[in-house]
């Protein structure tokens, strides 16, 4: 049985994603428990640059023009052979817009078990266990990582990316890419993220609204509060998907990461996709009527009052305090 | 154009989640189920496509409590066929089993395009979409927030972290995992859903054998243990606002 841990390195337009380093950090702990090695797998080109700071024992790489952009079809076909040939103890993918398109397909195709939303691993008397974060961050699920090979989709939060970085580049080993003609999924173009009037990632005070805002008319209450505090309004995904705020104001996995002095989260539950982008805030204050909302786990101060009641009163008191 | 939307219901997170005596799953009696919100976006995207050209939208769901509402609501929005798959769903089901059941049935519909929610908050063994695609031998693209269909291909907008979007071509037939429909899911008044209940037909078909292999077994469920939880501010809005102003002052924000 192969006790190595494979990590499929995620990169986009020449940049290795943070989740790749998180996975390498996790893989090191697992490999210590299994007695195996940490093997990074890169599909791409200019592999030397991509691999230079990966904390892996070895890099297996494939080069092919089809990897210039991300195509699920190309990734699936390329990884199928590698996983079959090596049958490592685990293969880690980012639970992201890339890994998500690939791992579940491979699980079915190769008849290998799959664990998603995995945050941490634990070794228990030699046996590996996964801990996954589900139900919008409200539940953790723990179980055995099935042997001999399991595919895993990993979310951030359990390990620090710095732990997956190394000062020295790992040894590289080339693997031949399979035939990748007639791809059924191809990238035609990119649309850059919109640049707006404000960059929420640079603001010192962010008043962020979630589904608790209930309707577009109430957004004004948040605008007024933000204005009084000298900050800007941002929002969670449902608020942006409803069209109540511009896409430039989205905070989270598919939007911006923020690091303000104050992040005031109003009516935001604290789903993992949101929380991963606000952890660098100096202070998070959360207002949510649900005492079990996961946002309270990372907030410094919280309250269960109704945000719609609070916003006008707080605006007024802030204005008073500033002598306005 | 034959559009198929497989959907599932998930626990409503607004309710308190209760772990049952086994410690390994949520107590089904304490759960309220609702349509997976990404499946709601998939239904909307399918109906938007139908409205742009000829097409039929079929929504397929496991026959569990609450599913009739979800299906009739889809019909009130414009779905043409509503299908329930009957089987032994009582013990819950993982996505590997669900994808096999969907694949088995959906194949008989000969779809050109399958739209399904990109994920659900209770997925523990990956999403349904890519597994379904593999069973049907179709390509898969997930995290999609816009679809246009041409003769034998779909042009989709796929989301990458940070708001970058790739415009991609996908050869049909294909499975797409919908993150967000082009427009927010439309609202239908209850009265319209009630009216639909009188006219729309729910078809039932037996589900294939539930084959759960490929998913891990949960040994233990627990609430996340957190380091320091927030200091909760008591009182009404006025009291909380007063305290917050003090805190903002102390932190040098005001
Ligand atoms: C690939 C992917 C990427 C994603 N990217 C992002 C992202 O970038 N950003 C993001 O935010 N989400 C993202 N999501 C969605 C994420 O999973 C959650 O669905 C979303 O964050 C939930 O938003 P919310 O907290 O506003 O809504 P909900 O989870 O519905 O929470 C609303 C909260 O408001 C509270 N509330 C209701 N009324 C009131 C009131 N009157 N006063 C006070 N509180 C009230 C409720 O108790 C509840 O906790 C992504 C999902 C996927 C699958």
């Amino acid at each position: 049985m192969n006790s190595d841990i494979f990590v499929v390195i995620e990169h986009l337009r020449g940049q290795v994603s943070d989740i790749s380093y998180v996975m390498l950090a996790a893989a090191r702990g697992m490999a210590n428990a299994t007695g195996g090695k940490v093997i990074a797998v890169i599909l791409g080109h200019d592999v030397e640059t991509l691999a230079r700071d990966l904390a892996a024992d070895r890099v297996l790489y494939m080069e092919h023009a089809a990897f210039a952009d991300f195509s699920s079809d190309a990734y699936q076909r390329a990884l199928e052979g590698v996983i079959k040939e090596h049958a490592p103890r685990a293969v880690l993918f980012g639970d992201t817009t890339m890994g998500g398109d690939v791992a579940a397909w491979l699980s079915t195709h190769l008849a290998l078990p799959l664990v998603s939303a995995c945050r941490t691993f634990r070794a228990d008397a030699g046996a590996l266990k996964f801990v996954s974060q589900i139900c919008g961050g409200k539940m953790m699920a723990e179980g055995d990582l099935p042997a001999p090979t399991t595919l895993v989709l990993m979310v951030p939060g359990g390990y620090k990316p710095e732990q997956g970085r190394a000062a020295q580049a790992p040894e590289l080993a080339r693997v031949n890419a399979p035939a990748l003609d007639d791809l059924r999924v191809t990238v035609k173009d990119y649309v850059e993220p919109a640049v707006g009037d404000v960059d929420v990632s640079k603001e010192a005070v962010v008043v962020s609204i979630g589904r608790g805002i209930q309707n577009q008319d109430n957004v004004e209450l948040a605008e007024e509060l933000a204005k009084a505090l000298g900050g800007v309004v941002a929002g969670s995904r449902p608020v942006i998907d409803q069209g109540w705020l511009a896409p430039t104001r989205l905070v989270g996995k598919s939007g911006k990461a923020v690091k303000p002095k104050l992040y005031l989260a109003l009516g935001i539950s604290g789903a993992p996709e949101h929380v991963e982008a606000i952890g660098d805030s100096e202070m998070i204050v959360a207002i949510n009527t649900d005492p079990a909302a996961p946002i309270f786990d990372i907030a410094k101060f919280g309250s269960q009052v109704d945000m719609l009641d609070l916003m006008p009163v707080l605006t007024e008191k802030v204005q008073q305090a500033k002598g306005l | 154009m034959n559009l198929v939307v497989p959907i599932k219901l998930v626990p409503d997170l607004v309710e308190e989640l209760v772990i049952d005596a086994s410690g390994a799953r949520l107590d089904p009696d304490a759960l309220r189920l609702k349509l997976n919100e990404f499946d709601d976006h998939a239904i909307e995207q399918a109906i938007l496509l139908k409205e742009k050209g000829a097409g039929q939208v079929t929504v397929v769901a496991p026959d569990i409590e609450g599913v009739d509402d979800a299906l009739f609501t889809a019909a009130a929005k414009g779905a043409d066929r509503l299908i329930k798959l009957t089987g032994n769903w009582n013990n819950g089901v993982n996505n590997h089993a669900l994808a096999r059941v969907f694949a088995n049935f959906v194949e008989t519909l000969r779809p050109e395009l399958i739209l399904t929610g990109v994920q659900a908050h209770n997925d523990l063994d990956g999403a349904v979409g890519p597994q379904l695609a593999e069973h049907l031998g179709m390509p898969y693209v997930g995290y999609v927030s816009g679809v246009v269909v041409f003769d034998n291909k779909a042009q989709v907008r796929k989301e990458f972290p940070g708001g970058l979007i790739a415009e991609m071509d996908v050869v049909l037939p294909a499975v797409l995992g919908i993150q967000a429909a082009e427009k927010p899911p439309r609202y239908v008044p209850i009265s319209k859903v009630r009216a639909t209940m009188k006219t729309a037909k729910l078809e039932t078909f037996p589900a294939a054998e539930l084959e759960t292999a490929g998913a891990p077994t949960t040994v233990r469920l627990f609430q996340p243990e957190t380091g320091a939880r927030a200091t909760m501010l008591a009182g009404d809005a006025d009291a909380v606002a007063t305290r917050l102003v003090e805190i903002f002052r102390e932190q040098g924000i005001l």
Side-chain angles (χ1 to χ4, degrees), chain B residues 87-171:
Chain B
N88 182 18
W89 305 106
N90 289 340
N91 293 324
V93 64
N94 61 47
N95 284 344
H96 278 70
L98 196 56
R100 284 183 191 106
V101 165
F102 278 147
N104 210 289
F105 178 77
V106 164
E107 201 161 28
T108 64
L109 301 175
R110 304 191 162 278
E112 269 101 24
L113 190 55
I114 299 174
L115 304 172
T116 190
V118 66
Q119 65 179 52
H121 67 64
N122 65 344
D123 290 347
L124 193 56
D125 61 330
V128 170
Q131 301 184 42
L132 186 55
E134 199 283 337
H135 288 301
L136 297 173
M138 295 180 187
Y140 175 80
V141 177
Y143 310 90
V144 167
S145 59
V147 188
V148 186
V149 176
F150 291 95
D151 312 327
N152 64 340
K153 70 174 191 208
Q155 274 188 354
V156 307
R157 288 161 65 87
K158 178 183 170 69
E159 296 198 0
F160 285 102
L164 178 71
I165 288 173
E167 292 182 331
M168 309 183 88
D169 277 358
V170 190
V171 175

Side-chain angles (χ1 to χ4, degrees), chain A residues 72 97 101 107 109 142 297, chain B residues 96 134 140 158 165 219 229:
Chain A
S72 51
T97 60
D101 280 11
S107 163
H109 194 68
E142 184 186 77
D297 296 340
Chain B
H96 278 70
E134 199 283 337
Y140 175 80
K158 178 183 170 69
I165 288 173
V219 178
R229 263 184 79 88

Side-chain angles (χ1 to χ4, degrees), chain B residues 175-199:
Chain B
V175 181
L176 301 179
I178 303 297
Q179 160 98 52
E182 267 150 71
K183 291 188 199 156
R186 66 196 71 192
Y187 171 76
V188 279
I190 303 284
S191 57
K192 190 167 175 202
V193 177
R194 290 233 175 83
T196 310
M197 280 180 183
K198 298 202 181 92
T199 52

Side-chain angles (χ1 to χ4, degrees), chain A residues 97 209-212 214 235-239 250-255 266-271 273-274 287-290 293 305-308, chain B residues 37-38 118-119 143 179:
Chain A
T97 60
I209 52 177
R211 212 188 315 250
Q214 288 167 20
S236 68
R237 176 110 205 191
V239 172
L250 175 61
V251 172
K253 182 175 186 164
S254 39
L266 302 159
I268 292 177
S269 62
E273 294 87 356
H274 188 82
I287 308 299
N288 195 308
T289 44
D290 176 7
V305 292
D306 188 320
M307 63 183 283
L308 299 176
Chain B
E37 70 171 296
F38 300 107
V118 66
Q119 65 179 52
Y143 310 90
Q179 160 98 52

Side-chain angles (χ1 to χ4, degrees), chain B:
Chain B
M1 177 107 204
N2 201 356
L3 299 155
V4 174
V5 187
I7 59 169
K8 74 171 189 174
L9 304 187
V10 295
D12 189 343
L13 297 180
V14 171
E15 302 291 312
E16 193 190 345
L17 301 176
V18 181
I19 298 165
D20 78 357
S22 76
R25 60 171 207 163
L26 295 176
D27 183 353
D29 297 330
L31 282 184
R32 191 169 71 192
L33 296 175
K34 60 176 264 201
L35 178 62
N36 169 25
E37 70 171 296
F38 300 107
D39 288 342
D40 197 21
H41 280 271
I43 291 171
E44 182 64 33
Q45 185 62 62
I47 291 169
L48 289 172
L49 285 172
K50 172 187 159 173
E51 287 170 351
K52 280 186 200 154
Q56 160 159 297
V57 176
T58 304
V59 183
V60 187
D63 183 15
I64 55 174
E65 204 182 314
V67 79
D68 289 13
D69 274 355
L71 289 171
F72 282 127
T73 305
K77 291 177 175 184
D80 303 284
R81 267 186 92 183
L82 313 175
I83 291 169
K84 294 200 285 187
L85 298 177
T86 54
N88 182 18
W89 305 106
N90 289 340
N91 293 324
V93 64
N94 61 47
N95 284 344
H96 278 70
L98 196 56
R100 284 183 191 106
V101 165
F102 278 147
N104 210 289
F105 178 77
V106 164
E107 201 161 28
T108 64
L109 301 175
R110 304 191 162 278
E112 269 101 24
L113 190 55
I114 299 174
L115 304 172
T116 190
V118 66
Q119 65 179 52
H121 67 64
N122 65 344
D123 290 347
L124 193 56
D125 61 330
V128 170
Q131 301 184 42
L132 186 55
E134 199 283 337
H135 288 301
L136 297 173
M138 295 180 187
Y140 175 80
V141 177
Y143 310 90
V144 167
S145 59
V147 188
V148 186
V149 176
F150 291 95
D151 312 327
N152 64 340
K153 70 174 191 208
Q155 274 188 354
V156 307
R157 288 161 65 87
K158 178 183 170 69
E159 296 198 0
F160 285 102
L164 178 71
I165 288 173
E167 292 182 331
M168 309 183 88
D169 277 358
V170 190
V171 175
L172 298 182
V175 181
L176 301 179
I178 303 297
Q179 160 98 52
E182 267 150 71
K183 291 188 199 156
R186 66 196 71 192
Y187 171 76
V188 279
I190 303 284
S191 57
K192 190 167 175 202
V193 177
R194 290 233 175 83
T196 310
M197 280 180 183
K198 298 202 181 92
T199 52
K201 193 169 106 210
L202 287 182
E203 300 173 63
T204 52
F205 290 89
E209 196 76 31
L210 290 184
E211 173 42 272
T212 58
T217 321
T218 304
V219 178
R220 186 167 77 99
L221 271 188
F222 57 97
Q223 319 261 354
E225 41 216 64
T226 53
R229 263 184 79 88
T231 304
M232 298 303 276
L233 310 178
D236 61 5
D238 200 79
V240 170
T242 304
R243 184 71 189 102
L244 282 177
V245 168
E246 284 167 23
I247 292 168
F248 295 165
R249 273 232 173 88
E250 285 157 22
Q251 300 285 330
I253 291 154
L254 283 184

